[in-house]
Amino acid sequence: MPSINIEMPTSEINKYLSAMDDTVRNKVVKYTVSNLARRATSAVKTSITTAYNISKKNVPIKQLLASDGINQLISGSNRDVNSAVFNPVQTATGVDIQIERGETKTINHAFLTTVGSGHDGAFQRKGAARLPIIEVHTVNIGKLLKTDWLKGIVNATITQYAQDDFIKKYNSFNK
């Protein structure tokens, strides 16, 4: 699964880190990184739904705890989003589908159907024969997570909130 790693940027908060004992430091850092990952996941979903004709509930990304127990990952499915999510419309020549906002794409010789497994969407025949059929490809969230566009959004979110989130949690321990 493609993912973006969320780590604690320590350059701005070194003076606080050195003044803490290990137990408190680990709790504060873990909270801050978890909060940053939550904010970054939300920012990524918002950015994707702004650019693509998809709702947040249909964006298959999630926040995961990294193997070190402190850092977080934003992970996305490496499969194309089901074409039915993009509200395809059957036309006389094929299927009209709006994957990117404001940009309708006509897929000639495509059709809308539900296959035996209950999966519905836009499909095309692979050749002249009735079968096999293949689903029309849409957007792959896993590939999007590898783009500089979304990595930049994550980094901007971390830069914007890291120090404030850390200091807020640090102060809650030092009351």
Side-chain angles (χ1 to χ4, degrees):
M1 262 190 192
S3 59
I4 299 175
N5 196 21
I6 309 291
E7 297 178 351
M8 187 67 199
T10 56
S11 59
E12 305 91 12
I13 55 174
N14 275 334
K15 67 179 182 177
Y16 296 102
L17 289 172
S18 60
M20 296 180 184
D21 67 71
D22 289 344
T23 307
V24 172
R25 179 177 34 247
N26 286 345
K27 286 180 182 177
V28 171
V29 168
K30 191 172 184 176
Y31 163 83
T32 304
V33 170
S34 177
N35 206 32
L36 289 173
R38 183 183 51 76
R39 289 179 190 265
T41 301
S42 178
V44 165
K45 282 188 172 190
T46 299
S47 298
I48 290 171
T49 57
T50 301
Y52 294 91
N53 188 30
I54 188 171
S55 67
K56 283 186 179 183
K57 74 175 187 171
N58 290 318
V59 177
I61 64 172
K62 56 188 170 189
Q63 176 183 337
L64 301 171
L65 187 63
S67 58
D68 63 6
I70 293 176
N71 292 321
Q72 301 271 326
L73 301 171
I74 298 175
S75 181
S77 170
N78 208 15
R79 298 175 66 192
D80 287 355
V81 176
N82 182 352
S83 58
V85 169
F86 298 97
N87 302 321
V89 177
Q90 185 71 55
T91 65
T93 59
V95 171
D96 285 348
I97 189 167
Q98 188 182 75
I99 296 172
E100 293 184 35
R101 289 208 184 270
E103 197 175 305
T104 301
K105 180 179 175 185
T106 300
I107 302 159
N108 292 324
H109 310 294
F111 54 94
L112 300 175
T113 191
T114 301
V115 292
S117 64
H119 178 79
D120 60 344
F123 294 86
Q124 286 181 309
R125 300 198 190 286
K126 198 167 183 179
R130 185 170 174 263
L131 293 174
I133 60 173
I134 55 172
E135 185 171 8
V136 172
H137 292 284
T138 60
V139 63
N140 184 307
I141 301 299
K143 288 180 182 175
L144 277 179
L145 285 176
K146 294 178 183 178
T147 63
D148 291 338
W149 168 57
L150 287 181
K151 287 180 181 178
I153 289 167
V154 169
N155 288 334
T157 303
I158 290 171
T159 302
Q160 181 178 357
Y161 294 106
Q163 191 168 356
D164 291 341
D165 286 356
F166 180 84
I167 292 171
K168 181 178 170 183
K169 192 62 175 179
Y170 171 80
N171 288 336
S172 75
F173 274 98
N174 290 320
K175 287 185 176 178

